[in-house]
Amino acid sequence: MVHTAPLLECRAVSARYGGITVCRDVSLSVARGEIVALLGPNGAGKTSLLGAVSGIVRGGGDMVLDGTEMGRLPADRRAHLGLRLVPEGRGLFPELSVRENLRLGSRLAPAARRQELIDRAIELFPILGDRLEQQAGNMSGGEQQMLAVGKAIAGAPSLLMLDEPTQGLAPSVFDVLRQALLALRDDGLGIVLVEQRHAFAQSVADRTAVLVSGTLVHQGEPGETIARDELMRIYTGAGVAA
Ligand SMILES: Nc1ncnc2c1ncn2[C@@H]1O[C@H](COP(=O)(O)OP(=O)(O)OP(=O)(O)O)[C@@H](O)[C@H]1O
């Protein structure tokens, strides 16, 4: 279900570390109720691009979230506008309990909605409800990833950006994550999914964007998936060994 109004619109976005620009001239939009898979080989700049959009990596360009230009805003202001990044390291407080992590996540939401959003996270990941008093750092990788997404959801995001959520996880977790992402999309969230696992990305994506050497070299049409050999052709055509 893709709504028409764009939620995120990025134009000519760059990301840089010191004097080194690692992403340039990236234009990407995400609609409400849409999952965009951002694929690319190692080192292409996917994490850096998510960082530039969320405000934790220096960058430039126009970035409009829900009608508000946020390109010059610090990361915390962007989070208050509804942008949430679930980073590769998951961003949990490992010494705190599941309940405490969810509560901390919910502090970005209006007070009246916090419990409802925590309940939604538990509905999507029932294991979290069984483990509310457990220390986050003592849970399995899959459970920690569910908590990381749950913590983000508890903060009432409009745009969720996930950096390689399946990395290092057992395949048994993939389906839980897949169903949760599809449900969140149907709730109307916009989702950017960075994934190395091509099959997982294509099983949830409404659209695919491919980043190579810091530049978007391909953007698929809505509803179009990209076959693995087609992806390899894009990499090769862009000068990257497939
Ligand atoms: N903190 C940093 N300081 C300097 N350069 C960095 C930093 N982080 C990443 N880079 C460089 O930026 C480029 C893009 O890296 P990035 O991690 O964004 O790519 P990626 O597509 O997410 O790769 P991967 O799939 O391996 O995570 C690489 O050349 C990398 O070495």
Side-chain angles (χ1 to χ4, degrees):
M1 179 188 48
V2 177
H3 300 272
T4 45
L7 174 66
L8 175 73
E9 271 198 293
C10 295
R11 247 179 335 115
V13 166
S14 60
R16 62 181 184 275
Y17 301 100
I20 300 172
T21 299
V22 296
C23 292
R24 62 187 60 75
D25 203 20
V26 174
S27 293
L28 183 69
S29 69
V30 183
R32 292 178 176 77
E34 182 181 45
I35 300 179
V36 176
L38 179 61
L39 306 181
N42 286 333
K46 305 179 296 294
T47 298
S48 305
L49 181 62
L50 295 191
V53 174
S54 57
I56 57 174
V57 169
R58 294 193 69 171
D62 298 328
M63 303 173 217
V64 177
L65 180 67
D66 216 359
T68 301
E69 171 59 54
M70 61 169 193
R72 293 178 190 278
L73 299 179
D76 62 329
R77 294 276 305 280
R78 299 186 199 196
H80 274 101
L81 288 175
L83 185 153
R84 209 72 75 249
L85 171 66
V86 179
E88 254 176 305
R90 300 185 184 125
L92 294 172
F93 298 95
E95 70 288 0
L96 298 184
S97 69
V98 168
R99 187 194 301 280
E100 289 165 330
N101 271 279
L102 290 172
R103 280 203 181 137
L104 281 170
S106 77
R107 289 176 66 162
L108 282 163
R113 291 198 61 208
R114 289 178 190 166
Q115 191 55 50
E116 165 212 332
L117 289 159
I118 289 174
D119 291 346
R120 178 66 174 140
I122 292 171
E123 186 182 13
L124 292 172
F125 304 116
I127 191 87
L128 299 181
D130 301 336
R131 302 279 165 86
L132 281 172
E133 307 313 327
Q134 188 166 338
Q135 239 187 355
N138 288 338
M139 298 200 301
S140 71
E143 290 162 358
Q144 290 191 30
Q145 189 62 57
M146 292 181 216
L147 179 56
V149 178
K151 176 170 166 270
I153 297 166
S158 53
L159 179 74
L160 195 56
M161 302 199 299
L162 302 132
D163 199 353
E164 305 213 21
T166 68
Q167 194 180 42
L169 301 189
S172 57
V173 184
F174 298 172
D175 202 45
V176 182
L177 276 177
R178 179 184 297 111
Q179 296 308 328
L181 295 185
L182 294 173
L184 291 167
R185 176 190 69 180
D186 290 347
D187 285 351
L189 270 68
I191 297 175
V192 180
L193 172 69
V194 165
E195 257 299 335
Q196 287 290 357
R197 222 177 283 275
H198 172 263
F200 180 84
Q202 293 308 292
S203 71
V204 294
D206 297 301
R207 202 152 52 82
T208 306
V210 183
L211 193 69
V212 175
S213 302
T215 306
L216 268 194
V217 297
H218 173 87
Q219 285 209 61
E221 294 296 318
E224 177 187 315
T225 53
I226 184 168
R228 193 170 175 83
D229 55 352
E230 165 73 2
L231 183 65
M232 292 304 137
R233 267 199 295 278
I234 293 170
Y235 287 4
T236 311
V240 176

